[in-house]
Amino acid sequence: MKILILNGPNLNLLGKREPEIYGSRGFENYYEELKGRYPEVEFEYAQSNIEGELINKIHEVGFDWDGIVFNAGAYTHTSVALQDAIRGVKAPVVEVHISNVHQREEFRHHSMISCACLGVICGFGLDSYRLGIEALIAHKGMAHD
Ligand code: DQA
């Protein structure tokens, strides 16, 4: 099984950025732990601050890979183009957020991409990514203990 973890804008600053909201752990460090947890899954990790690069990455893996765990950052709330990209590929996409966006500012309550995704996970810190992976594994019908 092949899963892409895709992070959008400002998520390269995880660990340094607003640690009271996003925690003090960098993503690369967490990614190593995730990979160790799922030896049967082939992972790739990509991050971009540029909307078009996120779209290109979705196109690149979206026809061959088994799923994408996607934190679109602030583009979540604005991007019709990302919604179209997700709709345009075959791979299921799980939208994830570290923070509980529904407890935050009103502009974060609406997602432009949720309607194109398999489902949404938010509010569990970095564990949101693991839950997203679990959702994709369950969706594919693979048992994991
Ligand atoms: C975020 C929530 C977004 O509203 C915000 O713009 C982010 C991170 C999260 O993971 O909680 O950049 O997607």
Coordinates of all heavy atoms in Angstrom, one line a residue, residues 24-103:
S24 N 5.2 21.4 19.8 CA 6.6 21.8 19.6 C 7.4 20.8 18.9 O 8.6 20.8 18.9 CB 7.2 22.1 21.0 OG 6.9 21.1 21.8
R25 N 6.7 19.8 18.2 CA 7.5 18.7 17.5 C 7.5 19.0 16.0 O 6.5 19.3 15.4 CB 6.7 17.4 17.8 CG 7.5 16.2 17.3 CD 6.9 15.0 17.9 NE 7.7 13.8 17.4 CZ 7.3 12.6 17.6 NH1 6.2 12.3 18.3 NH2 8.1 11.6 17.2
G26 N 8.7 18.9 15.4 CA 8.8 19.1 14.0 C 8.2 17.9 13.3 O 8.1 16.8 13.8
F27 N 7.7 18.1 12.0 CA 7.0 17.0 11.3 C 8.0 15.9 10.9 O 7.6 14.7 11.0 CB 6.3 17.6 10.1 CG 5.3 16.5 9.6 CD1 4.1 16.4 10.2 CD2 5.7 15.7 8.6 CE1 3.2 15.4 9.8 CE2 4.8 14.7 8.1 CZ 3.6 14.5 8.7
E28 N 9.2 16.3 10.5 CA 10.1 15.2 10.0 C 10.4 14.2 11.1 O 10.4 13.0 10.8 CB 11.5 15.8 9.6 CG 11.5 16.3 8.2 CD 10.7 17.6 8.0 OE1 10.3 18.2 9.0 OE2 10.6 18.1 6.8
N29 N 10.5 14.6 12.4 CA 10.7 13.8 13.5 C 9.5 12.8 13.7 O 9.6 11.6 13.8 CB 10.9 14.7 14.7 CG 11.0 13.9 16.0 OD1 10.0 13.5 16.6 ND2 12.3 13.7 16.4
Y30 N 8.3 13.4 13.6 CA 7.0 12.6 13.7 C 6.9 11.6 12.6 O 6.5 10.5 12.7 CB 5.8 13.5 13.8 CG 4.5 12.8 13.8 CD1 4.1 12.1 14.9 CD2 3.7 12.9 12.7 CE1 2.9 11.4 14.8 CE2 2.5 12.3 12.7 CZ 2.1 11.5 13.7 OH 0.9 10.8 13.7
Y31 N 7.3 12.0 11.4 CA 7.2 11.2 10.2 C 8.0 9.9 10.3 O 7.6 8.8 9.9 CB 7.6 12.0 9.0 CG 7.6 11.3 7.6 CD1 6.4 10.7 7.2 CD2 8.7 11.2 6.8 CE1 6.4 10.0 6.0 CE2 8.7 10.5 5.6 CZ 7.5 10.0 5.2 OH 7.5 9.3 4.0
E32 N 9.2 10.0 10.9 CA 10.0 8.8 11.1 C 9.3 7.8 12.0 O 9.3 6.6 11.8 CB 11.4 9.2 11.8 CG 12.3 10.0 10.9 CD 12.5 9.2 9.5 OE1 12.8 8.0 9.6 OE2 12.3 9.9 8.5
E33 N 8.6 8.3 13.1 CA 7.8 7.5 14.0 C 6.7 6.8 13.2 O 6.4 5.6 13.3 CB 7.3 8.3 15.1 CG 6.5 7.5 16.1 CD 5.8 8.4 17.1 OE1 6.4 9.3 17.7 OE2 4.6 8.2 17.4
L34 N 6.0 7.6 12.4 CA 4.9 7.1 11.6 C 5.3 5.9 10.7 O 4.7 4.9 10.6 CB 4.3 8.2 10.7 CG 3.1 9.0 11.2 CD1 2.6 9.8 10.0 CD2 2.0 8.1 11.6
K35 N 6.4 6.1 10.0 CA 6.9 5.1 9.1 C 7.2 3.8 9.8 O 6.9 2.7 9.3 CB 8.2 5.6 8.3 CG 7.8 6.6 7.2 CD 9.0 6.8 6.3 CE 10.2 7.5 7.0 NZ 11.3 7.9 6.1
G36 N 7.8 4.0 11.0 CA 8.2 2.8 11.8 C 6.9 2.0 12.3 O 7.0 0.8 12.5
R37 N 5.8 2.7 12.4 CA 4.6 2.1 12.9 C 3.9 1.3 11.8 O 3.1 0.4 12.1 CB 3.7 3.3 13.3 CG 2.9 3.0 14.5 CD 2.1 4.3 14.8 NE 1.1 3.8 15.7 CZ 0.9 4.4 16.9 NH1 1.6 5.4 17.3 NH2 -0.1 3.9 17.7
Y38 N 4.1 1.6 10.6 CA 3.4 0.9 9.5 C 4.4 0.4 8.5 O 4.6 0.9 7.3 CB 2.5 1.9 8.8 CG 1.4 2.4 9.6 CD1 1.5 3.6 10.3 CD2 0.2 1.7 9.8 CE1 0.5 4.1 11.1 CE2 -0.8 2.1 10.7 CZ -0.6 3.4 11.3 OH -1.6 3.8 12.1
P39 N 5.2 -0.7 8.9 CA 6.2 -1.2 8.0 C 5.7 -1.7 6.6 O 6.4 -1.7 5.6 CB 6.9 -2.3 8.8 CG 6.0 -2.6 9.9 CD 5.1 -1.4 10.1
E40 N 4.4 -2.1 6.6 CA 3.8 -2.6 5.4 C 3.4 -1.5 4.4 O 3.0 -1.8 3.3 CB 2.6 -3.6 5.7 CG 1.4 -2.9 6.2 CD 1.3 -2.4 7.6 OE1 2.4 -2.2 8.2 OE2 0.2 -2.2 8.1
V41 N 3.4 -0.3 4.9 CA 3.0 0.8 4.0 C 4.2 1.6 3.4 O 5.2 1.8 4.1 CB 2.1 1.8 4.8 CG1 1.7 3.0 3.9 CG2 0.8 1.2 5.3
E42 N 4.1 1.8 2.1 CA 5.2 2.7 1.5 C 4.7 4.1 1.6 O 3.6 4.5 1.1 CB 5.4 2.2 0.1 CG 6.5 2.9 -0.6 CD 6.7 2.5 -2.1 OE1 6.3 1.3 -2.4 OE2 7.0 3.3 -2.9
F43 N 5.5 5.0 2.3 CA 5.1 6.4 2.4 C 6.0 7.3 1.6 O 7.2 7.0 1.3 CB 5.3 6.8 3.9 CG 4.3 6.2 4.8 CD1 4.7 5.2 5.7 CD2 3.0 6.7 4.9 CE1 3.8 4.7 6.6 CE2 2.1 6.2 5.8 CZ 2.5 5.2 6.6
E44 N 5.4 8.4 1.2 CA 6.1 9.5 0.7 C 5.6 10.7 1.5 O 4.4 10.8 1.8 CB 6.0 9.7 -0.8 CG 6.9 10.8 -1.3 CD 6.7 11.1 -2.8 OE1 6.4 10.2 -3.5 OE2 6.9 12.3 -3.1
Y45 N 6.5 11.7 1.8 CA 6.1 12.9 2.4 C 6.5 14.1 1.5 O 7.6 14.2 1.0 CB 6.8 13.0 3.8 CG 6.6 14.4 4.4 CD1 5.3 14.9 4.6 CD2 7.7 15.2 4.7 CE1 5.1 16.2 5.2 CE2 7.5 16.5 5.3 CZ 6.2 16.9 5.5 OH 6.1 18.2 6.0
A46 N 5.5 15.0 1.3 CA 5.8 16.2 0.6 C 5.2 17.4 1.3 O 4.1 17.3 1.9 CB 5.3 16.1 -0.8
Q47 N 5.9 18.5 1.2 CA 5.3 19.8 1.8 C 5.6 20.9 0.8 O 6.6 20.9 0.1 CB 6.0 20.1 3.1 CG 5.4 21.3 3.9 CD 5.9 22.6 3.4 OE1 7.0 22.8 3.0 NE2 5.1 23.6 3.6
S48 N 4.6 21.8 0.6 CA 4.8 22.9 -0.2 C 4.0 24.1 0.3 O 2.9 23.9 0.8 CB 4.5 22.7 -1.7 OG 4.7 23.9 -2.4
N49 N 4.6 25.3 0.1 CA 3.9 26.5 0.5 C 3.1 27.1 -0.7 O 2.5 28.1 -0.6 CB 4.9 27.6 1.0 CG 5.5 27.1 2.3 OD1 4.8 26.5 3.2 ND2 6.8 27.3 2.5
I50 N 3.3 26.4 -1.8 CA 2.7 26.9 -3.1 C 1.6 26.0 -3.6 O 1.7 24.8 -3.8 CB 3.9 26.9 -4.2 CG1 5.0 27.8 -3.7 CG2 3.4 27.3 -5.5 CD1 6.3 27.6 -4.4
E51 N 0.4 26.7 -3.8 CA -0.8 25.9 -4.1 C -0.6 25.0 -5.4 O -1.0 23.9 -5.4 CB -1.9 27.0 -4.4 CG -3.3 26.4 -4.5 CD -4.3 27.6 -4.6 OE1 -3.9 28.7 -4.9 OE2 -5.5 27.3 -4.4
G52 N 0.0 25.6 -6.4 CA 0.2 24.8 -7.7 C 1.1 23.6 -7.5 O 0.8 22.6 -8.1
E53 N 2.0 23.7 -6.6 CA 2.9 22.5 -6.3 C 2.1 21.4 -5.6 O 2.3 20.2 -5.9 CB 4.1 22.9 -5.5 CG 5.1 23.7 -6.3 CD 6.4 24.0 -5.6 OE1 6.5 23.6 -4.4 OE2 7.3 24.6 -6.2
L54 N 1.2 21.8 -4.8 CA 0.3 20.8 -4.1 C -0.6 20.1 -5.1 O -0.8 18.9 -5.1 CB -0.5 21.5 -3.0 CG 0.3 22.1 -1.8 CD1 -0.6 23.0 -1.0 CD2 0.9 21.0 -1.0
I55 N -1.1 20.9 -6.0 CA -1.9 20.4 -7.1 C -1.1 19.4 -8.0 O -1.6 18.3 -8.2 CB -2.5 21.5 -8.0 CG1 -3.5 22.3 -7.1 CG2 -3.2 21.0 -9.2 CD1 -4.0 23.6 -7.7
N56 N 0.1 19.8 -8.3 CA 0.9 18.9 -9.2 C 1.2 17.6 -8.4 O 1.2 16.5 -9.0 CB 2.2 19.6 -9.5 CG 2.1 20.7 -10.6 OD1 1.1 20.7 -11.3 ND2 3.1 21.5 -10.7
K57 N 1.4 17.7 -7.1 CA 1.7 16.5 -6.4 C 0.5 15.5 -6.3 O 0.6 14.3 -6.5 CB 2.2 16.9 -4.9 CG 2.9 15.8 -4.2 CD 4.3 15.5 -4.8 CE 4.7 14.2 -4.4 NZ 6.0 13.8 -5.1
I58 N -0.7 16.1 -6.1 CA -1.9 15.3 -6.1 C -2.1 14.6 -7.5 O -2.4 13.4 -7.5 CB -3.1 16.2 -5.8 CG1 -3.0 16.7 -4.3 CG2 -4.4 15.5 -6.0 CD1 -4.0 17.8 -3.9
H59 N -1.8 15.4 -8.6 CA -1.9 14.8 -9.9 C -0.9 13.6 -10.1 O -1.2 12.6 -10.7 CB -1.7 15.8 -11.0 CG -2.7 16.9 -11.1 ND1 -2.6 17.9 -12.0 CD2 -3.9 17.1 -10.4 CE1 -3.7 18.7 -11.8 NE2 -4.5 18.2 -10.9
E60 N 0.3 13.9 -9.6 CA 1.4 12.9 -9.8 C 1.1 11.6 -9.1 O 1.3 10.5 -9.8 CB 2.6 13.5 -9.1 CG 3.9 12.8 -9.4 CD 5.1 13.4 -8.6 OE1 5.2 14.7 -8.6 OE2 5.7 12.7 -7.9
V61 N 0.6 11.5 -7.9 CA 0.3 10.2 -7.3 C -1.1 9.8 -7.3 O -1.4 8.6 -7.0 CB 0.8 10.3 -5.8 CG1 2.2 10.8 -5.6 CG2 -0.2 11.1 -4.9
G62 N -2.0 10.7 -7.7 CA -3.4 10.4 -7.5 C -4.1 9.3 -8.4 O -5.2 9.0 -8.1
F63 N -3.3 8.8 -9.3 CA -3.9 7.7 -10.2 C -3.3 6.4 -9.8 O -3.8 5.3 -10.2 CB -3.7 8.0 -11.7 CG -4.6 9.2 -12.0 CD1 -4.1 10.5 -12.1 CD2 -5.9 9.0 -12.4 CE1 -4.9 11.6 -12.4 CE2 -6.7 10.1 -12.7 CZ -6.2 11.4 -12.7
D64 N -2.2 6.3 -9.1 CA -1.5 5.1 -8.9 C -1.4 4.7 -7.4 O -1.3 3.6 -7.0 CB 0.0 5.1 -9.4 CG 0.0 5.5 -10.8 OD1 -0.8 4.9 -11.6 OD2 0.8 6.4 -11.2
W65 N -1.4 5.7 -6.5 CA -1.2 5.5 -5.1 C -2.6 5.1 -4.5 O -3.6 5.4 -5.0 CB -0.5 6.7 -4.4 CG 0.9 6.7 -4.8 CD1 1.4 6.7 -6.1 CD2 2.0 6.8 -3.9 NE1 2.8 6.8 -6.0 CE2 3.2 6.9 -4.7 CE3 2.2 6.9 -2.5 CZ2 4.5 7.0 -4.2 CZ3 3.4 7.0 -2.0 CH2 4.6 7.0 -2.8
D66 N -2.5 4.6 -3.2 CA -3.7 4.1 -2.6 C -4.4 5.2 -1.8 O -5.6 5.0 -1.4 CB -3.4 3.0 -1.6 CG -2.9 1.8 -2.4 OD1 -3.6 1.2 -3.2 OD2 -1.7 1.5 -2.3
G67 N -3.8 6.3 -1.5 CA -4.4 7.4 -0.8 C -3.5 8.5 -0.4 O -2.3 8.4 -0.5
I68 N -4.1 9.6 0.0 CA -3.3 10.8 0.4 C -3.9 11.3 1.7 O -5.1 11.4 1.9 CB -3.5 11.9 -0.7 CG1 -3.0 11.4 -2.1 CG2 -2.7 13.2 -0.2 CD1 -3.2 12.4 -3.2
V69 N -3.0 11.5 2.7 CA -3.4 12.2 3.9 C -3.0 13.6 3.7 O -1.8 13.9 3.6 CB -2.7 11.5 5.1 CG1 -3.0 12.3 6.4 CG2 -3.2 10.1 5.3
F70 N -3.9 14.6 3.7 CA -3.6 15.9 3.2 C -4.0 17.0 4.3 O -5.2 17.1 4.7 CB -4.5 16.1 2.0 CG -4.2 17.4 1.2 CD1 -3.0 18.1 1.4 CD2 -5.1 18.0 0.4 CE1 -2.7 19.3 0.7 CE2 -4.8 19.2 -0.3 CZ -3.6 19.8 -0.1
N71 N -3.0 17.7 4.7 CA -3.3 18.9 5.5 C -3.0 20.1 4.6 O -1.8 20.4 4.4 CB -2.4 18.9 6.8 CG -2.7 20.1 7.7 OD1 -3.4 21.0 7.3 ND2 -2.2 20.0 8.9
A72 N -4.0 20.7 4.1 CA -3.9 21.8 3.2 C -3.6 23.1 3.9 O -3.6 24.2 3.2 CB -5.2 21.9 2.3
G73 N -3.5 23.1 5.2 CA -3.2 24.4 5.9 C -4.3 25.4 5.6 O -5.5 25.1 5.4
A74 N -3.9 26.7 5.4 CA -4.9 27.7 5.2 C -5.6 27.6 3.8 O -6.7 28.1 3.6 CB -4.2 29.1 5.3
Y75 N -5.0 26.9 2.8 CA -5.6 26.7 1.6 C -6.9 25.9 1.7 O -7.8 25.9 0.8 CB -4.7 26.0 0.5 CG -3.6 26.8 0.0 CD1 -2.3 26.2 -0.2 CD2 -3.7 28.2 -0.3 CE1 -1.3 27.0 -0.7 CE2 -2.7 28.9 -0.7 CZ -1.4 28.3 -0.9 OH -0.4 29.1 -1.4
T76 N -7.0 25.2 2.8 CA -8.3 24.4 3.1 C -9.5 25.3 3.0 O -10.5 24.9 2.5 CB -8.2 24.0 4.6 OG1 -7.1 23.2 4.8 CG2 -9.5 23.2 5.0
H77 N -9.3 26.6 3.5 CA -10.4 27.5 3.6 C -10.7 28.3 2.4 O -11.6 29.1 2.3 CB -10.2 28.4 4.8 CG -9.7 27.6 6.0 ND1 -10.5 26.6 6.6 CD2 -8.5 27.7 6.7 CE1 -9.8 26.1 7.6 NE2 -8.6 26.7 7.7
T78 N -9.8 28.2 1.4 CA -9.9 29.1 0.2 C -9.9 28.5 -1.2 O -10.3 29.1 -2.1 CB -8.7 30.1 0.2 OG1 -7.5 29.4 0.1 CG2 -8.6 30.9 1.5
S79 N -9.4 27.2 -1.3 CA -8.9 26.8 -2.6 C -9.9 25.9 -3.4 O -10.0 24.7 -3.1 CB -7.6 26.0 -2.5 OG -7.2 25.6 -3.7
V80 N -10.6 26.5 -4.3 CA -11.4 25.8 -5.3 C -10.5 24.8 -6.1 O -10.8 23.7 -6.5 CB -12.2 26.7 -6.2 CG1 -12.9 26.0 -7.3 CG2 -13.1 27.6 -5.4
A81 N -9.3 25.3 -6.4 CA -8.4 24.6 -7.3 C -7.9 23.3 -6.6 O -7.8 22.2 -7.3 CB -7.1 25.4 -7.6
L82 N -7.7 23.3 -5.3 CA -7.4 22.0 -4.6 C -8.6 21.1 -4.5 O -8.5 19.9 -4.7 CB -6.9 22.3 -3.2 CG -5.4 22.8 -3.1 CD1 -5.0 23.3 -1.7 CD2 -4.5 21.7 -3.6
Q83 N -9.8 21.7 -4.3 CA -11.0 20.8 -4.4 C -11.1 20.1 -5.8 O -11.3 18.9 -5.8 CB -12.2 21.6 -4.2 CG -13.5 20.8 -4.2 CD -14.8 21.7 -4.2 OE1 -15.7 21.4 -5.0 NE2 -14.9 22.6 -3.3
D84 N -10.9 20.9 -6.8 CA -10.9 20.3 -8.2 C -9.8 19.2 -8.4 O -10.1 18.2 -9.0 CB -10.8 21.4 -9.2 CG -12.0 22.2 -9.4 OD1 -13.1 21.8 -8.8 OD2 -11.9 23.2 -10.1
A85 N -8.7 19.5 -7.8 CA -7.6 18.5 -8.0 C -7.9 17.2 -7.3 O -7.7 16.1 -7.8 CB -6.3 19.1 -7.4
I86 N -8.5 17.3 -6.1 CA -8.9 16.1 -5.3 C -10.0 15.3 -6.1 O -10.0 14.1 -6.2 CB -9.3 16.5 -3.9 CG1 -8.1 17.0 -3.1 CG2 -9.9 15.3 -3.2 CD1 -8.5 17.8 -1.8
R87 N -11.0 16.1 -6.6 CA -12.0 15.5 -7.4 C -11.5 14.8 -8.7 O -12.1 13.9 -9.2 CB -13.0 16.5 -7.8 CG -14.0 17.0 -6.8 CD -15.1 17.8 -7.5 NE -15.8 18.6 -6.5 CZ -16.7 18.1 -5.6 NH1 -17.0 16.8 -5.6 NH2 -17.3 18.9 -4.8
G88 N -10.4 15.3 -9.2 CA -9.9 14.9 -10.5 C -9.1 13.6 -10.4 O -8.8 13.1 -11.5
V89 N -8.7 13.2 -9.2 CA -7.9 11.9 -9.2 C -8.7 10.8 -8.6 O -9.8 11.0 -8.0 CB -6.6 12.2 -8.4 CG1 -5.7 13.2 -9.0 CG2 -6.9 12.5 -6.9
K90 N -8.1 9.6 -8.7 CA -8.8 8.4 -8.2 C -8.5 8.1 -6.7 O -9.4 7.5 -6.0 CB -8.4 7.2 -9.0 CG -8.9 7.2 -10.4 CD -9.1 5.8 -11.1 CE -8.1 4.8 -10.8 NZ -7.6 4.1 -12.0
A91 N -7.3 8.4 -6.3 CA -6.9 8.1 -4.9 C -7.8 8.8 -3.9 O -8.1 10.0 -4.0 CB -5.5 8.5 -4.7
P92 N -8.3 8.1 -2.8 CA -9.0 8.7 -1.8 C -8.1 9.7 -1.0 O -7.0 9.4 -0.7 CB -9.5 7.6 -0.9 CG -8.6 6.4 -1.2 CD -8.1 6.6 -2.6
V93 N -8.7 10.8 -0.6 CA -7.9 11.8 0.2 C -8.6 12.0 1.5 O -9.8 12.2 1.6 CB -7.9 13.2 -0.6 CG1 -7.1 14.2 0.2 CG2 -7.2 13.0 -2.0
V94 N -7.8 11.9 2.6 CA -8.3 12.2 3.9 C -7.8 13.6 4.3 O -6.6 13.8 4.3 CB -7.9 11.1 5.0 CG1 -8.4 11.5 6.4 CG2 -8.4 9.8 4.6
E95 N -8.7 14.5 4.6 CA -8.3 15.8 5.0 C -8.0 15.8 6.5 O -8.8 15.3 7.3 CB -9.5 16.8 4.8 CG -9.3 18.2 5.4 CD -10.6 19.1 5.2 OE1 -11.5 18.7 4.4 OE2 -10.6 20.1 5.9
V96 N -6.9 16.3 6.9 CA -6.5 16.3 8.3 C -6.1 17.7 8.8 O -5.6 18.5 8.0 CB -5.4 15.3 8.7 CG1 -5.8 13.9 8.4 CG2 -4.0 15.6 8.1
H97 N -6.3 18.0 10.1 CA -5.9 19.2 10.7 C -5.4 18.8 12.1 O -6.0 18.0 12.8 CB -7.0 20.2 10.8 CG -7.6 20.6 9.5 ND1 -6.9 21.4 8.6 CD2 -8.7 20.2 8.8 CE1 -7.6 21.5 7.5 NE2 -8.7 20.8 7.6
I98 N -4.3 19.5 12.4 CA -3.7 19.3 13.8 C -4.6 19.9 14.8 O -4.9 19.2 15.8 CB -2.3 20.0 13.8 CG1 -1.4 19.3 12.8 CG2 -1.7 19.9 15.2 CD1 -0.1 20.0 12.4
S99 N -5.0 21.1 14.6 CA -5.9 21.8 15.6 C -7.4 21.5 15.3 O -7.7 21.0 14.2 CB -5.7 23.3 15.5 OG -6.1 23.8 14.2
N100 N -8.2 21.7 16.3 CA -9.7 21.6 16.0 C -10.1 22.9 15.5 O -10.4 23.9 16.2 CB -10.4 21.3 17.3 CG -11.9 21.1 17.1 OD1 -12.4 21.5 16.0 ND2 -12.6 20.5 18.1
V101 N -10.2 22.9 14.1 CA -10.5 24.2 13.4 C -11.9 24.8 13.9 O -12.1 26.0 13.8 CB -10.5 24.0 11.9 CG1 -9.0 23.9 11.4 CG2 -11.3 22.8 11.4
H102 N -12.8 23.9 14.4 CA -14.1 24.3 14.7 C -14.1 25.1 16.1 O -15.1 25.7 16.4 CB -15.1 23.2 14.7 CG -15.1 22.5 13.4 ND1 -15.8 23.2 12.3 CD2 -14.6 21.4 12.9 CE1 -15.6 22.4 11.2 NE2 -14.9 21.4 11.5
Q103 N -13.0 25.0 16.8 CA -12.9 25.7 18.1 C -12.2 27.1 17.9 O -12.0 27.8 18.8 CB -12.1 24.9 19.1 CG -12.8 23.7 19.7 CD -11.9 22.9 20.6 OE1 -10.7 23.0 20.6 NE2 -12.5 22.0 21.4

